[in-house]
Amino acid sequence: MLIHRQDARAVLGLHNLHYIQQHDMLRELVIHQCDEKPVEERMRIYISIKGNGFPMWWFEQRLQPLQAEVLSIVTDEDFSSNWHGVRFPKVEVLVLNFETRTYNLPPFIEQMSQLKTLVVTNNGFFPANLNNFQLCSLLNLKRINLERISVSSIFTANLQLPNLHKISLNMCEIGEAFENSAAKMPYMWPKLVEMNIEYCSDLTKVPAEICDLVDLKRLSICYCQELVTLPEELGRLTNLEVLRLHSCTNLVELPKSIVKLIKLKFLDVYDCVAMDNLPLEMDKLCSLQTLCMGSSLGIDKLPDSLQKLVKLEDVVCDEETAHLWEYVKEHLKNLRITVMEEHVNLNLLHRS
């Protein structure tokens, strides 16, 4: 039995527009309430700097550490990156938004010994270079999220982050730096469990050395439309539970070693239009629960081994691909087949 979903939000678990608008209003209210308190009492500090116009309290507090745990700083294209010394020793979440082609990270980051999450977003049109990327003393840093950044900044700094769990690169310039420095990753980030790479247009291949990140549980490489191949060494990621390759339109095939991923629960190859087959031994993916595939894939026949995936619960696909699964479903009685509408954005599926 096929399940046709007219409302994709029911499948993807998305919040509706009304909820998003409420969330934005609540966020603005929180910012307003935070600004009403004296700066030394604020647990969250939000700063918008026009040009080099720092708020007056910034200079008044230079000698006194502030107590904030969340710090968000927005600067514009006229900001000179001339930071004035203020201390934020208790900050756990730092969000930086800027618009310049080169950005100097504030030097007070190195004193943020409690920092757990760093989000750096370039709101300009082109990838930016980060300077002063010296975070080696941040032993508690667990998450890094970079948007429209040249990742060579990371590898040049040779970041040793022993407790980093998650890194996200969105619309970043990967370039040769990613490939040439991949061998450093297992030593730089030994506890990394999640890597997300999205909309990185110059990523053509994934370095084999990434497969030495043996603790990796989630690998997402989506909307990287110049990606052609994955390393055969992928099978070394034996702890991998989620593999998302959504809309990598030039990806030709999955490496044969993927069948070694016996802990893999979620596989997304939806909209990988150049892919015309699945590995024959798919039944070795004995933990697989969800498979997303379809949207003009060149696959016209499914491997018979799929009938042995006894833990497979959900297949998310298009109308054409759904018919290929009818025979498989005769052997997997509990299998749910969800036919998605063409406009649905599966990029939101299985994100945390």
Side-chain angles (χ1 to χ4, degrees):
M1 177 180 179
L2 304 183
I3 303 175
H4 293 261
R5 303 284 185 169
Q6 299 299 326
D7 186 354
R9 291 172 298 184
V11 179
L12 306 182
L14 304 180
H15 301 295
N16 59 30
L17 181 60
H18 176 66
Y19 177 88
I20 295 172
Q21 291 172 334
Q22 283 185 325
H23 177 272
D24 290 343
M25 292 173 62
L26 288 171
R27 181 178 179 275
E28 293 298 323
L29 178 60
V30 169
I31 293 175
H32 177 71
Q33 289 176 337
C34 288
D35 289 345
E36 289 181 339
K37 297 180 180 178
V39 68
E40 59 271 15
E41 296 179 11
R42 299 179 196 171
M43 301 305 292
R44 298 177 178 86
I45 295 180
Y46 302 89
I47 308 167
S48 181
I49 300 173
K50 303 295 184 182
N52 293 297
F54 285 83
M56 288 302 300
W57 61 258
W58 188 278
F59 303 98
E60 296 169 356
Q61 297 291 330
R62 291 180 67 178
L63 300 179
Q64 180 179 349
L66 295 171
Q67 305 303 307
E69 296 179 354
V70 177
L71 175 62
S72 175
I73 303 177
V74 180
T75 57
D76 61 15
E77 67 275 8
D78 296 322
F79 182 62
S80 68
S81 290
N82 183 18
W83 299 98
H84 303 277
V86 176
R87 288 180 290 168
F88 300 92
K90 294 188 177 182
V91 164
E92 296 183 7
V93 178
L94 176 62
V95 181
L96 302 171
N97 286 267
F98 64 94
E99 298 182 24
T100 53
R101 290 293 300 271
T102 300
Y103 183 75
N104 293 327
L105 288 171
F108 52 71
I109 292 182
E110 278 211 85
Q111 301 172 9
M112 293 180 173
S113 60
Q114 303 303 311
L115 189 64
K116 296 178 181 177
T117 300
L118 174 65
V119 180
V120 183
T121 301
N122 166 25
N123 292 319
F125 291 106
F126 303 101
N129 291 311
L130 295 182
N131 294 330
N132 196 30
F133 215 138
Q134 303 297 325
L135 307 177
C136 298
S137 62
L138 302 181
L139 300 181
N140 289 309
L141 190 62
K142 289 181 169 56
R143 294 188 173 202
I144 295 179
N145 190 318
L146 304 180
E147 184 168 322
R148 292 193 187 91
I149 302 296
S150 173
V151 298
S152 60
S153 311
I154 306 176
F155 298 115
T156 301
N158 195 26
L159 296 181
Q160 302 290 326
L161 300 171
N163 292 305
L164 187 69
H165 290 172
K166 177 179 179 179
I167 185 165
S168 298
L169 307 173
N170 188 15
M171 292 183 281
C172 287
E173 184 178 75
I174 298 284
E176 295 182 358
F178 188 67
E179 181 178 351
N180 296 339
S181 303
K184 300 178 182 179
M185 292 183 190
Y187 308 101
M188 294 165 57
W189 312 323
K191 294 185 180 179
L192 196 70
V193 296
E194 181 171 351
M195 176 179 287
N196 299 314
I197 302 174
E198 298 190 356
Y199 294 100
C200 294
S201 59
D202 63 342
L203 179 65
T204 58
K205 66 178 181 178
V206 176
E209 291 82 358
I210 280 185
C211 303
D212 292 327
L213 294 165
V214 293
D215 290 328
L216 207 63
K217 292 185 177 181
R218 297 171 60 98
L219 177 60
S220 176
I221 306 174
C222 298
Y223 297 94
C224 296
Q225 299 185 347
E226 297 303 315
L227 179 65
V228 177
T229 61
L230 295 173
E232 186 56 40
E233 293 82 355
L234 190 72
R236 294 209 301 257
L237 294 174
T238 53
N239 288 304
L240 201 66
E241 297 178 0
V242 175
L243 178 59
R244 301 183 65 247
L245 303 166
H246 187 86
S247 199
C248 291
T249 54
N250 279 312
L251 184 62
V252 177
E253 63 181 0
L254 296 172
K256 293 181 175 61
S257 68
I258 193 175
V259 300
K260 297 179 180 179
L261 304 180
I262 60 174
K263 294 184 180 180
L264 192 69
K265 298 177 181 179
F266 185 97
L267 175 61
D268 179 4
V269 292
Y270 203 94
D271 210 19
C272 294
V273 296
M275 190 177 297
D276 60 5
N277 66 78
L278 292 175
L280 293 177
E281 298 179 309
M282 286 291 288
D283 57 310
K284 291 185 177 180
L285 296 176
C286 54
S287 298
L288 193 65
Q289 298 174 1
T290 302
L291 175 59
C292 301
M293 58 180 292
S295 189
S296 301
L297 266 71
I299 297 174
D300 55 12
K301 186 178 186 302
L302 298 176
D304 292 338
S305 58
L306 289 170
Q307 302 169 19
K308 301 177 183 179
L309 289 175
V310 295
K311 291 188 178 180
L312 188 63
E313 298 175 350
D314 290 286
V315 170
V316 181
C317 59
D318 59 9
E319 188 82 41
E320 182 178 351
T321 308
H323 293 297
L324 298 177
W325 282 91
E326 292 178 358
Y327 177 71
V328 178
K329 196 175 188 314
E330 293 178 6
H331 299 268
L332 302 175
K333 300 301 183 182
N334 295 322
L335 182 63
R336 292 184 296 267
I337 301 175
T338 302
V339 176
M340 303 301 294
E341 301 297 326
E342 286 300 314
H343 65 274
V344 171
N345 183 1
L346 279 182
N347 187 39
L348 297 173
L349 184 61
H350 213 277
R351 297 186 75 175
S352 61

